[in-house]
Amino acid sequence: MASIFAFVGAMLVGYVAIQKTMEMQISVVLNQVAIRMLPQLDFRYRNVRVSLWERAVRINGISIQSLGERESLRIERVSVSEVDWDTIFRLAQTGGMITLPRTVRVGFKGMHLTPRLLGAKPAALLKQLGYDDIELSMSSGFLFDRSAKIFGIDRMNVEIQEMGRLSFSVEVGDFPFPTDRDLIALSRDPKSEKPPVPEFADLTLRYGEIRYDDFSLVGRVDQMLKNEGMPGLAAVIESSTRLPASADGFVGQATAKLKKFIATPEQSIRLSTRPSEPLPFAAIGLEALLGPDKLAKRLDLRLDVN
């Protein structure tokens, strides 16, 4: 029994030691990157935390300040998580060789944007809407499936406290990924190498979704327009969707749903597309020439308000 406890204890000590070693290595890399890439900025952070169990790295208490300026951009946490195990093992075997993971999730939590950082005009508009300092959080999952040539964005969420949350997902096929050799060359000298730019005509759309959850922004914008003697948001949408489309087609139905969303804000609205088969982006452009309703049918567009 004693030997079992000793073994478990040794495993725990080794687990903690590996995490602490990784935290120190990441801190060294962060400091080197800050000196090399951000020479005009004062980049600071409180600590780095690694969780092997969660496959996550978290950088806490970030402050970025331009030299000579008093105002700083503050971020509570930056995290990288959900890295696939194959990539983790490959990094361990190669001693940290630069590679493209199959899956990864990146997040920013508690990014504080003051009026001075936002600029005079955006800050004035936000104040008119009743917002002062902005607290923003963002997270997104990414899929880099080089064997299937599929690039995906999984639930890219951008949330602004008290305003709303915007979510976006997409899967694109026939994506020309850079090789590990390209990535290594780019990391050594970012100016000498450029990642390959995908050919627009070769890409295919497999799936897409965009969703907005309103906390208060829609109602405030609508009221601001009316206070200034302008038509409300519903009238703006009505005038901007006067397209040659039938009332019972997608455009007509979408206009009615948008007006319903504006009339009863603090709801969610979701637009999604899932073609019956991957659709080349070039074909999407040609379909658009045939009219919005035909394009919507080809893309299997759906607009829902909840």
Side-chain angles (χ1 to χ4, degrees):
M1 183 65 70
S3 61
I4 294 176
F5 283 123
F7 176 76
V8 172
M11 290 290 290
L12 289 175
V13 170
Y15 180 85
V16 173
I18 292 172
Q19 289 190 156
K20 290 300 180 183
T21 300
M22 292 181 67
E23 289 171 359
M24 289 188 291
Q25 290 175 339
I26 292 171
S27 296
V28 170
V29 172
L30 273 177
N31 295 335
Q32 291 175 344
V33 169
I35 293 172
R36 181 180 176 187
M37 306 292 289
L38 307 171
Q40 302 301 318
L41 298 176
D42 181 12
F43 174 79
R44 302 185 183 188
Y45 58 94
R46 187 170 64 250
N47 57 45
V48 174
R49 291 292 179 262
V50 172
S51 172
L52 295 176
W53 180 259
E54 298 176 292
R55 295 170 291 157
V57 175
R58 298 181 178 92
I59 307 167
N60 301 302
I62 296 172
S63 172
I64 303 174
Q65 184 177 24
S66 296
L67 298 179
E69 294 286 338
R70 291 189 298 176
E71 200 81 29
S72 64
L73 171 64
R74 293 178 292 116
I75 306 173
E76 290 180 17
R77 179 186 300 158
V78 174
S79 62
V80 179
S81 60
E82 299 181 21
V83 179
D84 60 287
W85 284 111
D86 285 344
T87 298
I88 292 175
F89 291 144
R90 191 162 64 249
L91 290 172
Q93 291 171 350
T94 59
M97 183 191 77
I98 295 175
T99 187
L100 198 63
R102 188 180 187 278
T103 61
V104 65
R105 189 161 196 87
V106 180
F108 297 81
K109 180 181 179 182
M111 183 184 297
H112 299 271
L113 300 174
T114 63
R116 183 179 178 87
L117 290 172
L118 290 168
K121 290 185 178 180
L125 176 59
L126 289 171
K127 189 173 183 63
Q128 190 177 0
L129 289 169
Y131 302 110
D132 295 319
D133 292 357
I134 298 299
E135 182 175 328
L136 181 149
S137 295
M138 185 186 79
S139 67
S140 180
F142 296 94
L143 169 68
F144 306 96
D145 191 338
R146 288 196 277 192
S147 61
K149 294 186 177 181
I150 295 175
F151 168 72
I153 297 176
D154 177 33
R155 291 175 290 117
M156 177 182 283
N157 297 322
V158 180
E159 180 173 327
I160 302 179
Q161 196 173 52
E162 297 184 12
M163 280 193 188
R165 178 175 56 247
L166 185 67
S167 304
F168 174 71
S169 298
V170 70
E171 270 194 12
V172 176
D174 295 311
F175 195 92
F177 288 103
T179 65
D180 286 343
R181 181 176 295 179
D182 293 331
L183 294 173
I184 293 171
L186 181 64
S187 68
R188 288 174 177 168
D189 190 352
K191 295 180 180 179
S192 67
E193 296 285 342
K194 293 184 179 180
V197 178
E199 291 291 336
F200 182 79
D202 294 338
L203 300 180
T204 58
L205 177 65
R206 299 169 59 89
Y207 168 76
E209 176 184 314
I210 185 167
R211 170 177 173 148
Y212 175 67
D213 295 280
D214 183 56
F215 300 160
S216 68
L217 181 61
V218 171
R220 295 191 190 194
V221 171
D222 188 49
Q223 190 59 49
M224 183 188 71
L225 293 174
K226 292 176 179 177
N227 290 343
E228 295 183 355
M230 300 171 63
L233 278 176
V236 172
I237 290 174
E238 185 77 46
S239 62
S240 63
T241 55
R242 289 175 181 171
L243 300 171
S246 61
D248 59 347
F250 177 80
V251 174
Q253 294 178 6
T255 301
K257 290 179 179 180
L258 283 169
K259 291 168 70 175
K260 174 187 174 184
F261 176 70
I262 292 168
T264 53
E266 299 187 19
Q267 296 189 93
S268 65
I269 186 167
R270 172 179 172 270
L271 177 67
S272 64
T273 172
R274 189 183 290 275
S276 56
E277 59 183 21
L279 192 61
F281 279 86
I284 295 174
L286 293 175
E287 289 284 345
L289 298 176
L290 301 178
D293 286 339
K294 290 187 177 181
L295 175 62
K297 185 176 181 180
R298 182 71 186 274
L299 289 172
D300 192 19
L301 282 180
R302 298 178 185 274
L303 184 69
D304 301 299
V305 175
N306 299 310

